[in-house]
PDB file of all heavy atoms in Angstrom:
ATOM      1  N   ALA G  14     144.425  65.675  53.228  1.00 94.00           N
ATOM      2  CA  ALA G  14     145.101  64.371  53.354  1.00 94.00           C
ATOM      3  C   ALA G  14     144.471  63.532  54.469  1.00 94.00           C
ATOM      4  O   ALA G  14     144.809  62.361  54.638  1.00 94.00           O
ATOM      5  CB  ALA G  14     146.590  64.563  53.622  1.00 94.00           C
ATOM      6  N   GLY G  15     143.569  64.155  55.227  1.00 93.00           N
ATOM      7  CA  GLY G  15     142.893  63.429  56.309  1.00 93.00           C
ATOM      8  C   GLY G  15     143.478  63.744  57.677  1.00 93.00           C
ATOM      9  O   GLY G  15     143.176  63.066  58.661  1.00 93.00           O
ATOM     10  N   LYS G  16     144.283  64.801  57.747  1.00 95.00           N
ATOM     11  CA  LYS G  16     144.973  65.117  59.007  1.00 95.00           C
ATOM     12  C   LYS G  16     143.989  65.338  60.169  1.00 95.00           C
ATOM     13  O   LYS G  16     144.220  64.851  61.258  1.00 95.00           O
ATOM     14  CB  LYS G  16     145.828  66.396  58.866  1.00 95.00           C
ATOM     15  CG  LYS G  16     146.984  66.300  57.906  1.00 95.00           C
ATOM     16  CD  LYS G  16     147.908  67.490  58.055  1.00 95.00           C
ATOM     17  CE  LYS G  16     147.250  68.838  57.837  1.00 95.00           C
ATOM     18  NZ  LYS G  16     146.782  69.097  56.469  1.00 95.00           N
ATOM     19  N   THR G  17     142.921  66.086  59.888  1.00 94.00           N
ATOM     20  CA  THR G  17     142.016  66.449  60.981  1.00 94.00           C
ATOM     21  C   THR G  17     141.326  65.217  61.564  1.00 94.00           C
ATOM     22  O   THR G  17     141.350  64.996  62.776  1.00 94.00           O
ATOM     23  CB  THR G  17     140.973  67.474  60.487  1.00 94.00           C
ATOM     24  OG1 THR G  17     141.689  68.611  60.011  1.00 94.00           O
ATOM     25  CG2 THR G  17     140.038  67.908  61.588  1.00 94.00           C
ATOM     26  N   THR G  18     140.744  64.405  60.686  1.00 95.00           N
ATOM     27  CA  THR G  18     140.045  63.205  61.156  1.00 95.00           C
ATOM     28  C   THR G  18     140.996  62.299  61.924  1.00 95.00           C
ATOM     29  O   THR G  18     140.693  61.811  63.013  1.00 95.00           O
ATOM     30  CB  THR G  18     139.486  62.429  59.931  1.00 95.00           C
ATOM     31  OG1 THR G  18     138.784  63.353  59.122  1.00 95.00           O
ATOM     32  CG2 THR G  18     138.596  61.298  60.339  1.00 95.00           C
ATOM     33  N   VAL G  19     142.165  62.108  61.327  1.00 98.00           N
ATOM     34  CA  VAL G  19     143.139  61.188  61.913  1.00 98.00           C
ATOM     35  C   VAL G  19     143.695  61.749  63.231  1.00 98.00           C
ATOM     36  O   VAL G  19     143.816  61.032  64.224  1.00 98.00           O
ATOM     37  CB  VAL G  19     144.265  60.926  60.882  1.00 98.00           C
ATOM     38  CG1 VAL G  19     145.494  60.349  61.531  1.00 98.00           C
ATOM     39  CG2 VAL G  19     143.751  60.014  59.769  1.00 98.00           C
ATOM     40  N   SER G  20     143.999  63.037  63.245  1.00 97.00           N
ATOM     41  CA  SER G  20     144.578  63.639  64.458  1.00 97.00           C
ATOM     42  C   SER G  20     143.598  63.560  65.620  1.00 97.00           C
ATOM     43  O   SER G  20     143.973  63.236  66.747  1.00 97.00           O
ATOM     44  CB  SER G  20     144.941  65.109  64.232  1.00 97.00           C
ATOM     45  OG  SER G  20     145.812  65.238  63.151  1.00 97.00           O
ATOM     46  N   ARG G  21     142.340  63.857  65.315  1.00 96.00           N
ATOM     47  CA  ARG G  21     141.305  63.781  66.364  1.00 96.00           C
ATOM     48  C   ARG G  21     141.176  62.367  66.903  1.00 96.00           C
ATOM     49  O   ARG G  21     141.144  62.151  68.105  1.00 96.00           O
ATOM     50  CB  ARG G  21     139.947  64.137  65.762  1.00 96.00           C
ATOM     51  CG  ARG G  21     139.679  65.574  65.786  1.00 96.00           C
ATOM     52  CD  ARG G  21     138.167  65.800  65.801  1.00 96.00           C
ATOM     53  NE  ARG G  21     137.943  67.203  65.623  1.00 96.00           N
ATOM     54  CZ  ARG G  21     137.301  67.754  64.610  1.00 96.00           C
ATOM     55  NH1 ARG G  21     136.761  67.006  63.679  1.00 96.00           N
ATOM     56  NH2 ARG G  21     137.177  69.052  64.533  1.00 96.00           N
ATOM     57  N   ALA G  22     141.108  61.404  65.978  1.00 97.00           N
ATOM     58  CA  ALA G  22     140.911  60.012  66.397  1.00 97.00           C
ATOM     59  C   ALA G  22     142.125  59.510  67.178  1.00 97.00           C
ATOM     60  O   ALA G  22     141.985  58.808  68.183  1.00 97.00           O
ATOM     61  CB  ALA G  22     140.663  59.136  65.170  1.00 97.00           C
ATOM     62  N   LEU G  23     143.297  59.916  66.727  1.00 98.00           N
ATOM     63  CA  LEU G  23     144.518  59.494  67.419  1.00 98.00           C
ATOM     64  C   LEU G  23     144.565  60.098  68.828  1.00 98.00           C
ATOM     65  O   LEU G  23     144.878  59.409  69.805  1.00 98.00           O
ATOM     66  CB  LEU G  23     145.747  59.928  66.609  1.00 98.00           C
ATOM     67  CG  LEU G  23     147.091  59.460  67.154  1.00 98.00           C
ATOM     68  CD1 LEU G  23     147.225  57.939  67.093  1.00 98.00           C
ATOM     69  CD2 LEU G  23     148.241  60.123  66.383  1.00 98.00           C
ATOM     70  N   ALA G  24     144.242  61.387  68.935  1.00 97.00           N
ATOM     71  CA  ALA G  24     144.240  62.054  70.246  1.00 97.00           C
ATOM     72  C   ALA G  24     143.226  61.382  71.172  1.00 97.00           C
ATOM     73  O   ALA G  24     143.512  61.138  72.347  1.00 97.00           O
ATOM     74  CB  ALA G  24     143.923  63.541  70.078  1.00 97.00           C
ATOM     75  N   ASP G  25     142.058  61.029  70.634  1.00 95.00           N
ATOM     76  CA  ASP G  25     141.041  60.340  71.458  1.00 95.00           C
ATOM     77  C   ASP G  25     141.561  59.007  71.946  1.00 95.00           C
ATOM     78  O   ASP G  25     141.400  58.646  73.099  1.00 95.00           O
ATOM     79  CB  ASP G  25     139.764  60.090  70.629  1.00 95.00           C
ATOM     80  CG  ASP G  25     138.901  61.339  70.568  1.00 95.00           C
ATOM     81  OD1 ASP G  25     139.234  62.309  71.280  1.00 95.00           O
ATOM     82  OD2 ASP G  25     137.921  61.344  69.793  1.00 95.00           O
ATOM     83  N   ARG G  26     142.199  58.271  71.031  1.00 96.00           N
ATOM     84  CA  ARG G  26     142.694  56.948  71.426  1.00 96.00           C
ATOM     85  C   ARG G  26     143.729  57.027  72.531  1.00 96.00           C
ATOM     86  O   ARG G  26     143.796  56.187  73.413  1.00 96.00           O
ATOM     87  CB  ARG G  26     143.310  56.248  70.224  1.00 96.00           C
ATOM     88  CG  ARG G  26     142.348  55.180  69.764  1.00 96.00           C
ATOM     89  CD  ARG G  26     143.057  54.016  69.194  1.00 96.00           C
ATOM     90  NE  ARG G  26     142.485  53.815  67.869  1.00 96.00           N
ATOM     91  CZ  ARG G  26     142.922  52.938  67.022  1.00 96.00           C
ATOM     92  NH1 ARG G  26     143.939  52.180  67.320  1.00 96.00           N
ATOM     93  NH2 ARG G  26     142.349  52.821  65.860  1.00 96.00           N
ATOM     94  N   LEU G  27     144.542  58.075  72.460  1.00 96.00           N
ATOM     95  CA  LEU G  27     145.627  58.219  73.438  1.00 96.00           C
ATOM     96  C   LEU G  27     145.191  58.988  74.684  1.00 96.00           C
ATOM     97  O   LEU G  27     145.944  59.072  75.650  1.00 96.00           O
ATOM     98  CB  LEU G  27     146.809  58.960  72.788  1.00 96.00           C
ATOM     99  CG  LEU G  27     147.556  58.201  71.683  1.00 96.00           C
ATOM    100  CD1 LEU G  27     148.396  59.165  70.858  1.00 96.00           C
ATOM    101  CD2 LEU G  27     148.443  57.120  72.295  1.00 96.00           C
ATOM    102  N   GLY G  28     144.003  59.595  74.636  1.00 95.00           N
ATOM    103  CA  GLY G  28     143.572  60.475  75.736  1.00 95.00           C
ATOM    104  C   GLY G  28     144.364  61.768  75.739  1.00 95.00           C
ATOM    105  O   GLY G  28     144.594  62.366  76.790  1.00 95.00           O
ATOM    106  N   TYR G  29     144.798  62.198  74.562  1.00 96.00           N
ATOM    107  CA  TYR G  29     145.607  63.405  74.423  1.00 96.00           C
ATOM    108  C   TYR G  29     144.755  64.588  73.959  1.00 96.00           C
ATOM    109  O   TYR G  29     143.652  64.415  73.438  1.00 96.00           O
ATOM    110  CB  TYR G  29     146.692  63.179  73.346  1.00 96.00           C
ATOM    111  CG  TYR G  29     147.925  62.447  73.819  1.00 96.00           C
ATOM    112  CD1 TYR G  29     147.941  61.737  75.021  1.00 96.00           C
ATOM    113  CD2 TYR G  29     149.086  62.464  73.048  1.00 96.00           C
ATOM    114  CE1 TYR G  29     149.093  61.072  75.431  1.00 96.00           C
ATOM    115  CE2 TYR G  29     150.236  61.799  73.451  1.00 96.00           C
ATOM    116  CZ  TYR G  29     150.228  61.106  74.642  1.00 96.00           C
ATOM    117  OH  TYR G  29     151.353  60.454  75.047  1.00 96.00           O
TER     118      TYR G  29
END
Side-chain angles (χ1 to χ4, degrees):
K16 295 192 302 294
T17 301
T18 310
V19 163
S20 304
R21 272 206 188 118
L23 185 65
D25 279 352
R26 255 212 234 175
L27 292 163
Y29 278 16

